[in-house]
């Protein structure tokens, strides 16, 4: 089976930086995704990594190390609207996503 | 353009009844997925369609669950003889092709009494 681990909760202050780690052990690997999910809403796509290294997209960056089975999502200049759940997902083949349980980030003023 | 839509948004049913959940993917997306999401968890894969072909149904919990996509567009997830343990958020997603980013719909919240 697959095992995708991420912390349950994190709290940070507005304007700060938060790093959400994700470790995975899956039967296959064909890319890693990060999704943001506000309470009561659908997950929305944030970032995608398939090769090792850092992908930067505005205030959000995502890093992947395939040899270590490790990724992180970095959120910079935190805003109140960034309070949400962040889901790490591994694509195991050409289509199937396996998700972690999500990390709830609370941004405090 | 319009995103993935699902209906109904909420469904309350009695144990033993059949329910049908509908998904309308983003126009032109050939790949469609069904997931189930429990509170406080990530989505759990149920099934995958490429056009009208159901290519993977390994995540369907048992034979009470079935899905179809007869014309390669709208899909229906059917749960027969519902049980209380079927209560969950059922989400649909679509992508241009299987290897592309999946875009999720708002979900159907199913409650089985």
């Amino acid at each position: 089976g697959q095992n995708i681990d991420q912390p349950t909760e994190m709290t940070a202050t507005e304007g700060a930086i938060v790093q959400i780690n994700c470790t995975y052990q899956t039967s296959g690997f064909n890319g890693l995704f990060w999704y943001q999910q506000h309470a009561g809403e659908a997950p929305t796509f944030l970032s995608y990594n398939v090769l090792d290294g850092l992908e930067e997209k505005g205030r959000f960056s995502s890093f992947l190390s395939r040899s270590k089975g490790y990724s992180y999502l970095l959120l910079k200049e935190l805003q109140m609207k960034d309070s949400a759940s962040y889901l790490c997902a591994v694509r195991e083949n050409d289509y199937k996503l396996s998700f972690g349980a999500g990390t709830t980030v609370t941004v405090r003023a | 353009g319009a995103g993935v839509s699902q209906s109904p948004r909420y469904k309350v049913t009695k144990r033993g009844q059949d329910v049908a959940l509908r998904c309308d993917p983003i126009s032109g997306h050939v790949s469609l997925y069904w997931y189930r999401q429990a509170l406080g968890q990530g989505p759990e894969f149920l099934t995958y369609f490429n056009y009208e072909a159901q290519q993977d149904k390994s995540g369907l919990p048992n034979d009470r669950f079935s899905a179809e996509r007869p014309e390669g567009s709208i899909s229906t997830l059917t749960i027969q003889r519902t049980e209380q343990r079927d209560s969950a958020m059922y989400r649909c997603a679509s992508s241009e092709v299987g290897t592309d980013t999946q875009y999720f719909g708002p979900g159907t919240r199913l409650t089985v009494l």
Side-chain angles (χ1 to χ4, degrees):
Chain A
Q2 61 277 357
N3 196 23
I4 300 170
D5 291 319
Q6 48 183 130
T8 303
E9 295 181 343
M10 301 184 75
T11 302
T13 306
E14 198 174 12
I17 298 173
V18 69
Q19 177 174 316
I20 306 169
N21 296 324
C22 172
T23 58
Y24 63 89
Q25 286 182 300
T26 54
S27 56
F29 182 84
N30 190 19
L32 187 142
F33 293 78
W34 285 95
Y35 281 81
Q36 180 190 59
Q37 186 172 26
H38 284 100
E41 297 184 9
T44 56
F45 169 74
L46 283 180
S47 70
Y48 167 66
N49 296 70
V50 66
L51 299 176
D52 290 353
L54 189 67
E55 292 284 340
E56 298 188 81
K57 191 185 289 187
R59 295 188 298 114
F60 294 172
S61 303
S62 57
F63 172 84
L64 175 67
S65 169
R66 288 172 297 170
S67 62
K68 295 182 179 178
Y70 168 70
S71 173
Y72 69 72
L73 179 70
L74 196 67
L75 285 62
K76 292 177 270 190
E77 301 168 18
L78 278 173
Q79 302 175 9
M80 299 299 287
K81 67 178 182 179
D82 297 329
S83 292
S85 179
Y86 292 85
L87 299 161
C88 173
V90 172
R91 186 168 59 201
E92 298 188 39
N93 49 27
D94 284 344
Y95 56 87
K96 183 178 181 179
L97 289 182
S98 294
F99 284 83
T103 299
T104 300
V105 172
T106 302
V107 181
R108 293 185 173 163
Chain B
V4 178
S5 61
Q6 293 185 244
S7 61
R9 293 292 306 277
Y10 301 90
K11 177 70 177 177
V12 180
T13 190
K14 292 184 178 179
R15 188 178 53 186
Q17 297 294 306
D18 298 350
V19 295
L21 313 181
R22 173 185 165 128
C23 171
D24 200 340
I26 294 172
S27 178
H29 280 195
V30 305
S31 298
L32 185 146
Y33 318 77
W34 283 97
Y35 292 85
R36 180 166 67 176
Q37 187 172 18
L39 203 60
Q41 298 295 316
E44 175 190 11
F45 173 84
L46 295 178
T47 188
Y48 162 62
F49 288 86
N50 186 40
Y51 293 98
E52 72 281 0
Q54 188 175 22
Q55 300 206 323
D56 187 339
K57 55 181 182 179
S58 63
L60 295 177
N62 52 60
D63 59 8
R64 295 187 297 106
F65 288 72
S66 62
E68 63 174 9
R69 193 187 185 197
E71 297 178 0
S73 180
I74 293 168
S75 176
T76 302
L77 177 70
T78 300
I79 308 172
Q80 295 179 312
R81 305 180 303 280
T82 52
E83 301 178 5
Q84 287 185 327
R85 60 177 172 159
D86 299 334
S87 296
M89 177 70 80
Y90 289 85
R91 295 199 186 275
C92 174
S94 71
S95 63
E96 288 191 23
V97 293
T99 50
D100 283 340
T101 299
Q102 296 181 24
Y103 296 91
F104 284 81
T108 295
R109 169 73 66 188
L110 175 66
T111 302
V112 182
L113 302 176

